[in-house]
Amino acid sequence: MAVEEGRRVTITAIAQEAGVSVPTVSRVLNGRSDVAPQTRERVEGLLSRHGYQRRGSRTTDHASLIDLVFNDLDSPWALEIIRGVEEAAHAAGMGTVVSAVHQRKAATRQWMQNMRARATSGVVFVTSEVTPNLHDELRRLDIPVVVVDPSGIPAGGVPTIGATNWAGGLRATQHLLELGHRRIGFIAGPKRLLCSRARLDGYRAALEGAGLPVVEELVQQGDFYHESGFAGGTALLDLADPPTAIFAASDQMAFGVYEAVRQRGLRVPDDISVVGFDDLPEARWACPPLTTVRQPLAEMGLLAARTVLRLAQREVIESPRIELATELVTRFSSAPPKG
């Protein structure tokens, strides 16, 4: 298949005209030695004839940038993601542009307008939805995209980076079960996020595995922030038969539970155990230090940035969905129930 004149050539079109696979063209572009000489000559000839340029070789002075887009930036875990992206960008000699769109269409349109002007090399979205329209526009601009903790299944097979949220929710609940707790409250994150639903499913699976029912009054809805943790903790403590432990689906909500416990004249973990999720830096300095599930936030940002840079160099990504391991970090906010 010949590449149409007047259209920007893509690596796929080059591969089709050369009669080879996309990974083969990628290997030629990256100077790999594992390509037959005749194949290399044919591919290089087509690349030269069609004036193909790698994304990283754009002539604008502003091309050495990664766009990092959050819905909101008022969370400590966002700083951890930024730290990871910055590390990868710095290693590649690039800069990072951080934006927040607050789930508003107008803000997203404004970001798109600004992004076009600076000719970014790639975009990392965090807890966002890549709609078909947004995906099509970025694809038209030939800008690669990666999503960290997507709110749904991204359009067009966009690569995603996450953590083993289900396993983390399971392990946190199992930890409390192993301590002897049988009535365990849970404060969930936003329903729209896949990671939130996975943590809730892990909690339910642990209870069911222990032969315990999932009691709906023990499940409170939160949004990952302190206020919802306080509200959910208050509701759980006000039950006629309150739980002996609470698993909050984020550290910030767990700190909100701490305040709900304090305002009732109770103590953690003497009167109620608390477990969080994230392992933010302040978790170890809380009073008492928080037992939590560590998700490698900085590493997730680092991997997302590296992945988008690989896509910008036309490399083939081995897997569209990568999950990094979570780990239970046991500190002093969890203990066996009284009595």
Side-chain angles (χ1 to χ4, degrees), residues 84-290:
V85 172
E86 278 283 322
E87 181 179 341
H90 178 75
M94 305 179 73
T96 306
V97 178
V98 180
S99 306
V101 296
H102 310 291
Q103 300 183 48
R104 294 198 296 263
K105 291 183 179 179
T108 300
R109 285 195 298 269
Q110 183 63 54
W111 166 76
M112 282 289 294
Q113 182 178 336
N114 295 339
M115 186 269 300
R116 290 189 195 98
R118 58 179 168 262
T120 188
S121 295
V123 181
V124 174
F125 288 105
V126 183
T127 62
S128 302
E129 180 184 5
V130 179
T131 63
N133 287 342
L134 180 59
H135 176 259
D136 289 345
E137 177 64 9
L138 290 168
R139 189 173 183 179
R140 186 185 68 79
L141 294 170
D142 200 23
I143 295 175
V145 180
V146 173
V147 183
V148 176
D149 274 342
S151 60
I153 305 300
V158 169
T160 63
I161 309 294
T164 53
N165 291 288
W166 183 87
L170 178 79
R171 185 68 193 97
T173 311
Q174 287 177 335
H175 167 69
L176 293 169
L177 290 167
E178 290 162 1
L179 289 172
H181 296 278
R182 291 297 178 267
R183 192 163 169 82
I184 301 170
F186 181 76
I187 306 177
K191 292 180 179 180
R192 67 183 181 83
L193 296 180
L194 293 177
C195 61
S196 299
R197 301 201 292 270
R199 293 171 200 178
L200 174 57
D201 288 344
Y203 160 81
R204 287 173 167 159
L207 293 178
E208 292 167 357
L212 296 173
V214 177
V215 181
E216 290 306 317
E217 71 174 0
L218 292 179
V219 178
Q220 295 291 316
Q221 185 60 52
D223 60 9
F224 283 161
Y225 292 98
H226 295 89
E227 293 81 1
S228 68
F230 176 77
T234 298
L236 290 170
L237 293 173
D238 284 347
L239 292 173
D241 184 13
T244 60
I246 296 175
F247 169 29
S250 77
D251 285 354
Q252 286 185 279
M253 292 197 301
F255 298 144
V257 174
Y258 271 30
E259 180 60 17
V261 172
R262 187 193 67 79
Q263 288 193 13
R264 274 156 182 71
L266 303 175
R267 298 180 63 186
V268 176
D270 300 15
D271 300 299
I272 186 163
S273 289
V274 179
V275 174
F277 201 112
D278 284 328
D279 196 25
L280 297 175
E282 54 264 47
R284 60 181 297 208
W285 302 111
C287 186
L290 179 66

Side-chain angles (χ1 to χ4, degrees), residues 29-43:
L29 284 166
N30 288 289
R32 296 267 294 272
S33 60
D34 52 343
V35 180
Q38 289 182 334
T39 300
R40 179 183 301 279
E41 183 178 353
R42 184 165 70 254
V43 171

Side-chain angles (χ1 to χ4, degrees), residues 8-12 14 22-32 40 43-44 46-48 50-60 63-64 92 94 119-122 141-144 306-316:
R8 182 170 182 171
V9 68
T10 66
I11 191 173
T12 302
I14 293 291
V22 170
T24 297
V25 178
S26 179
R27 287 194 289 271
V28 172
L29 284 166
N30 288 289
R32 296 267 294 272
R40 179 183 301 279
V43 171
E44 288 179 342
L46 288 169
L47 292 169
S48 176
H50 293 296
Y52 175 84
Q53 283 189 325
R54 295 158 69 111
R55 284 190 183 96
S57 62
R58 284 190 245 181
T59 57
T60 175
S64 295
M94 305 179 73
T120 188
S121 295
L141 294 170
D142 200 23
I143 295 175
R306 285 178 174 172
T307 301
V308 87
L309 290 176
R310 287 183 62 193
L311 290 170
Q313 297 300 324
R314 312 285 181 170
E315 293 186 30
V316 177

